[in-house]
Amino acid sequence: MILGPKRSVLVVDRSEETREVLRTALERRGLRTLAASRARRGLELARQHRPDLIVLDIESEGTNSEETYARFARQSLKNGTALLMLGHLRPSEASLGGEEFIAKPYHFGPLIRRIEELVEATGQTLARCA
Amino acid sequence: MPSLFVIRGNDQGTRFELAGEIVGVGRDSSNLVQLHDTEASRQHAEIRHAEGSYVIADLNSSNGTFVNGRKVEEHRLASGDQVQIGGTLMLFTRPAEETGEDLTDQISIASDRQTGDESHIIHSLSHAEGSRIFRPEADIPQNSWLARARSNLQVMYRTALAVSHTLDIEQLLHRIMDLIFEWVEADRGCIMLAGAAGESLEPKVRRTRKGVRTGQKITISKTILDYVIQRNEGVLTSDAREDNRWQSGASILQMGIREAICVPMQGRYDMVGVIYIDTSTSPQEVIQKGGATKFTQDHLKLMIAIAHQAALAVEDTRYYSAMVQAERLAAVGQTIATLSHHIKNILQGIRGGSYLIEMGLTEHDESVVSKGWKIVEKNQNKISALVMDMLTFSKEREPELAPANLNQVVSDVVELIESHAADMEVELRWEPAEEMPELVFDPEGIHRAVLNVVTNGIDAACECEKAGRVDVATRYAPDEGKALVVVSDNGPGIPPERLDSLFSPFVSFKSGRGTGLGLPVSQKILTEHGGRILVESTPGEGSRFTLELPAVMPDSARQTIVR
């Protein structure tokens, strides 16, 4: 594994508790975390900091979920960022592909392992590109 | 929007809105109208919308498409049509077509003075008097045809009244039977109904004329019944047949004559049952009356008309109860969905907290353990709040009145929710009334009521793109005898169509974050205090909730108790 700048994960979740748990757990694993409670702020952070992975709670976006999803999907395509969604889209909303969904309620153990794997994978892609 | 409402089948209670030019109907999930019915084909039929009309077309389905009981290839749907696909029966409805003109322009209700209309009431008749319209007047000579026609009209009028007064099928059928017995000299009668799903006929009402032996079983000839059901025609039968075999009349003299009328109850869509009456004439009566029968063609015609009226009423009642049942099921479903969503979020929090505790224990890091414990505790409080809300909502309770200060109660709420507001990036401003005397109310109840309304305001405020803000203020209005708590937010506002269901339990518009209990509970608490909640909302600008509490002074409360 090449040494580079610290890997980062952006957590966009309305629940302060979830952000807190993910931040504590991920930082202990040597990842930098950014967090936002609202999608709007989350997008700003994604543009500014280009994290390796975005974890987005799509379910609590409710009626805006489709639009929010589309914005994040575009942003992550542009930056080559992996996207992990918590919750699910309604069946009528088509997925753009490439992102992962984890249904709620989830267990934190497997979620954090998956986050690590995804960050690892983007790291390798970047290394190959370089 | 036109819709198909499932009144029978696995999807009972579902309403499919027919949006789009072509709407697929079938078992496959690609259909907008997806039926969970094994007798339906994957792509069974489609509904095409063109130039204001809706046409259902069968797509070579295995079991066919039926409209109002008839198999169709293509059929233009009208409101009220019943569409059957496999074991699923659906009702097609569409809003009345716009005529393009506003009738209110053409018809107006105005006071007499404005229009100069000199009309005045010269005679009035109460609703109950209506049937007397058909009563013969004593001084006018009667011709027998006219008398009969008038009496028939009166019977029909009373049938119409009888069916319009009840939604209870049994009661309705008893009324119909009473009417028939008043008007025709029948000895025995019964009404048989087919079940709502078209099962075999079952007797529902049985009536015997006074003086006729009651223990006797009514035997209806199967031949007659089959004839009525299959041909959908009413019949008048008599065993005094005027055919060749009827030579001597000897058996009439021995047995008397038995006559019967059996008519189908034909409704809008189906035959819902039959009405049967019969009478026996003894040999002596036959001789006295010279062989005249008791039942005539007129009786038959009128019976058919009565049965039709009754059938329409039975059908209406059935649809009504199917609708009520379906709505009830939908409400239960909504309740469960909202509650489980909320509980799921709490569970998620508890899992997060437990994860941190476990991590902290493994790594011997007490700070992580305590972080995790705080989260678990917070979620315990959430569950307890949910249970309190459910209890408050479910039982009638008396507020526990005590002298308290409204400013203090609201201030506690603001303090409690401040961190949540900050978390949601909503600015929370609190402006207590300068003058607020100690009043008598249930401090715990009002705390809960205010908390729910403020939480709601914060949730609304963070729905908007702009910076969220919630203002909480109290006011004391001694002239009106009220104390007020005003909570305003700058959220998206409440669309007018949602205002009605704002205080209905388990209806949450907060995309699953609410329990659907907050506002209903607040309203209930205020109502228990003799107060109320007023809502003003401007879509796009925000909403204002005003909690009005009657200002009861501690002294006057004590006096009331002493008295």
Side-chain angles (χ1 to χ4, degrees):
Chain A
M1 204 170 84
I2 52 152
L3 284 172
K6 212 172 177 182
R7 301 276 165 65
S8 60
V9 177
L10 167 63
V11 179
V12 184
D13 199 307
R14 290 206 182 189
S15 155
E16 188 214 344
E17 294 159 4
T18 305
R19 297 200 305 269
E20 172 99 1
V21 174
L22 289 179
R23 184 164 46 223
T24 312
L26 294 176
E27 281 180 357
R28 293 196 160 234
R29 283 165 173 75
L31 293 165
R32 195 157 70 93
T33 57
L34 301 154
S37 70
R38 309 295 313 279
R40 186 164 33 106
R41 176 84 185 118
L43 270 176
E44 281 171 23
L45 288 176
R47 277 189 213 113
Q48 281 166 24
H49 299 276
R50 301 191 160 215
D52 297 280
L53 170 71
I54 301 173
V55 180
L56 170 65
D57 173 19
I58 194 71
E59 209 165 281
S60 39
E61 290 298 321
T63 46
N64 297 329
S65 63
E66 196 168 9
E67 201 190 322
T68 308
Y69 161 73
R71 283 187 187 172
F72 273 88
R74 276 198 299 273
Q75 184 65 29
S76 67
L77 267 176
K78 208 163 114 192
N79 293 0
T81 306
L83 188 55
L84 181 60
M85 314 275 220
L86 306 179
H88 55 81
L89 286 175
R90 279 171 289 162
S92 62
E93 295 159 342
S95 133
L96 294 178
E99 61 291 316
E100 267 189 50
F101 289 90
I102 287 187
K104 279 185 171 184
Y106 48 81
H107 283 278
F108 281 85
L111 171 65
I112 284 161
R113 275 198 296 280
R114 189 64 196 137
I115 290 175
E116 282 183 302
E117 283 166 16
L118 286 169
V119 171
E120 192 74 16
T122 44
Q124 279 161 9
T125 322
L126 287 177
R128 270 202 302 275
C129 291
Chain B
M1 168 135 351
S3 67
L4 280 176
F5 183 72
V6 182
I7 50 184
R8 193 166 76 221
N10 285 338
D11 299 292
Q12 187 175 348
T14 313
R15 182 186 292 283
F16 296 104
E17 297 209 324
L18 306 175
E21 281 180 13
I22 295 180
V23 173
V25 185
R27 202 151 44 84
D28 197 83
S29 64
S30 64
N31 292 296
L32 188 63
V33 180
Q34 189 196 355
L35 301 176
H36 298 90
D37 186 332
T38 49
E39 288 171 51
S41 300
R42 288 185 176 281
Q43 314 288 348
H44 195 107
E46 61 187 25
I47 295 169
R48 300 174 193 143
H49 175 208
E51 289 162 12
S53 71
Y54 288 81
V55 172
I56 187 164
D58 188 77
L59 300 175
N60 283 328
S61 65
S62 326
N63 294 323
T65 301
F66 296 81
V67 175
N68 299 334
R70 260 178 234 109
K71 190 168 177 177
V72 296
E73 292 305 321
E74 269 201 20
H75 182 89
R76 193 181 150 161
L77 291 171
S79 204
D81 275 349
Q82 289 193 335
V83 178
Q84 176 145 20
I85 283 175
T88 305
L89 188 63
M90 293 173 284
L91 188 66
F92 173 81
T93 49
R94 59 181 300 187
E97 269 150 70
E98 297 282 326
T99 50
E101 50 184 331
D102 190 356
L103 285 179
T104 49
D105 290 343
Q106 296 171 26
I107 300 169
S108 62
I109 297 173
S111 70
D112 294 345
R113 238 174 301 160
Q114 282 175 336
T115 57
D117 188 344
E118 299 285 303
S119 306
H120 57 274
I121 297 169
I122 50 171
H123 186 69
S124 72
L125 189 67
S126 91
H127 178 65
E129 301 267 306
S131 67
R132 295 199 188 146
I133 294 166
F134 307 117
R135 198 172 269 180
E137 282 176 36
D139 50 351
I140 300 171
Q142 297 289 306
N143 121 2
S144 73
W145 180 85
L146 204 60
R148 217 167 45 236
R150 182 177 275 139
S151 128
N152 288 353
L153 259 177
Q154 192 172 357
V155 169
M156 278 324 292
Y157 182 81
R158 289 179 56 197
T159 310
L161 272 190
V163 300
S164 65
H165 276 277
T166 177
L167 269 175
D168 177 335
I169 293 186
E170 296 267 321
Q171 198 187 350
L172 171 94
L173 296 180
H174 276 285
R175 285 190 182 184
I176 295 285
M177 213 58 193
D178 287 345
L179 249 154
I180 294 174
F181 267 68
E182 267 182 47
W183 152 80
V184 61
E185 221 179 304
D187 289 341
R188 305 176 309 170
C190 71
I191 298 180
M192 296 201 280
L193 280 195
E199 302 110 24
S200 60
L201 293 172
E202 267 184 39
K204 290 288 174 197
V205 177
R206 183 189 194 280
R207 181 65 48 88
T208 317
R209 179 173 294 282
K210 268 189 196 143
V212 174
R213 269 195 300 148
T214 47
Q216 227 174 7
K217 215 172 167 180
I218 300 182
T219 317
I220 304 173
S221 146
K222 190 167 184 312
T223 326
I224 293 178
L225 211 53
D226 285 348
Y227 184 95
V228 171
I229 293 168
Q230 278 159 20
R231 316 249 321 232
N232 203 358
E233 286 173 11
V235 292
L236 167 64
T237 69
S238 163
D239 57 5
R241 283 166 299 190
E242 295 169 350
D243 63 20
N244 305 339
R245 288 166 296 169
W246 200 257
Q247 296 294 334
S248 60
S251 78
I252 298 184
L253 297 180
Q254 279 163 19
M255 309 287 293
I257 301 174
R258 187 159 165 249
E259 296 165 70
I261 286 178
C262 186
V263 290
M265 292 172 70
Q266 177 61 42
R268 225 171 260 121
Y269 311 108
D270 287 317
M271 192 168 87
V272 301
V274 296
I275 304 184
Y276 174 90
I277 51 172
D278 70 9
T279 182
S280 302
T281 313
S282 69
Q284 291 86 352
E285 279 177 296
V286 176
I287 296 165
Q288 279 168 13
K289 292 187 176 176
T293 54
K294 285 188 193 162
F295 289 176
T296 63
Q297 287 274 348
D298 272 356
H299 287 119
L300 178 62
K301 280 182 205 157
L302 202 54
M303 281 285 285
I304 290 175
I306 292 176
H308 181 54
Q309 283 275 326
L312 291 179
V314 168
E315 269 183 351
D316 282 354
T317 308
R318 278 183 182 162
Y319 291 134
Y320 177 78
S321 33
M323 289 286 219
V324 169
Q325 176 69 6
E327 267 168 28
R328 203 173 289 154
L329 280 176
V332 172
Q334 166 91 45
T335 307
I336 293 176
T338 325
L339 274 182
S340 49
H341 204 101
H342 191 70
I343 293 171
K344 189 165 80 177
N345 285 341
I346 296 176
L347 176 64
Q348 198 63 66
I350 292 178
R351 279 188 182 165
S354 319
Y355 180 79
L356 286 190
I357 293 175
E358 204 183 315
M359 197 170 93
L361 289 176
T362 324
E363 297 174 7
H364 306 288
D365 185 335
E366 223 174 87
S367 70
V368 178
V369 174
S370 102
K371 214 184 248 181
W373 178 243
K374 261 189 206 143
I375 294 180
V376 171
E377 226 176 7
K378 217 167 154 187
N379 282 284
Q380 277 178 355
N381 291 338
K382 280 189 195 163
I383 290 209
S384 114
L386 172 65
V387 172
M388 286 306 291
D389 271 351
M390 295 207 292
L391 283 178
T392 313
F393 195 79
S394 64
K395 61 180 179 197
E396 288 299 322
R397 54 184 280 279
E398 283 289 310
E400 286 174 25
L401 300 176
N405 189 296
L406 189 60
N407 274 351
Q408 188 55 50
V409 170
V410 179
S411 172
D412 287 348
V413 171
V414 172
E415 203 185 308
L416 185 74
I417 202 127
E418 239 160 11
S419 69
H420 173 69
D423 197 38
M424 304 308 285
E425 296 168 21
V426 170
E427 188 195 346
L428 185 62
R429 295 199 297 203
W430 161 224
E431 198 186 309
E434 278 175 19
E435 188 210 346
M436 181 61 75
E438 195 164 72
L439 300 173
V440 175
F441 57 94
D442 176 356
E444 219 173 283
I446 293 300
H447 176 97
R448 175 147 297 280
V450 176
L451 178 67
N452 288 348
V453 174
V454 176
T455 310
N456 199 60
I458 293 173
D459 286 339
C462 69
E463 281 298 316
C464 270
E465 289 289 307
K466 60 189 173 204
R469 208 188 67 228
V470 171
D471 291 287
V472 183
T474 47
R475 238 180 66 211
Y476 176 53
D479 302 344
E480 300 168 55
K482 286 173 192 161
L484 312 174
V485 183
V486 184
V487 180
S488 14
D489 65 69
N490 66 343
I494 305 156
E497 69 272 14
R498 283 185 183 172
L499 276 173
D500 283 344
S501 52
L502 203 58
F503 293 102
S504 318
F506 301 114
V507 180
S508 172
F509 294 112
K510 295 191 290 188
S511 47
R513 277 174 300 123
T515 55
L517 271 174
L519 289 182
V521 162
S522 297
Q523 191 188 42
K524 188 162 187 261
I525 292 169
L526 265 295
T527 311
E528 282 165 357
H529 279 81
R532 57 180 180 165
I533 300 182
L534 302 175
V535 187
E536 296 152 86
S537 186
T538 316
E541 284 179 25
S543 312
R544 181 159 69 184
F545 287 73
T546 306
L547 288 74
E548 269 188 18
L549 190 66
V552 182
M553 295 296 169
D555 288 347
S556 66
R558 210 170 296 132
Q559 279 166 12
T560 321
I561 295 164
V562 170
R563 269 180 224 155

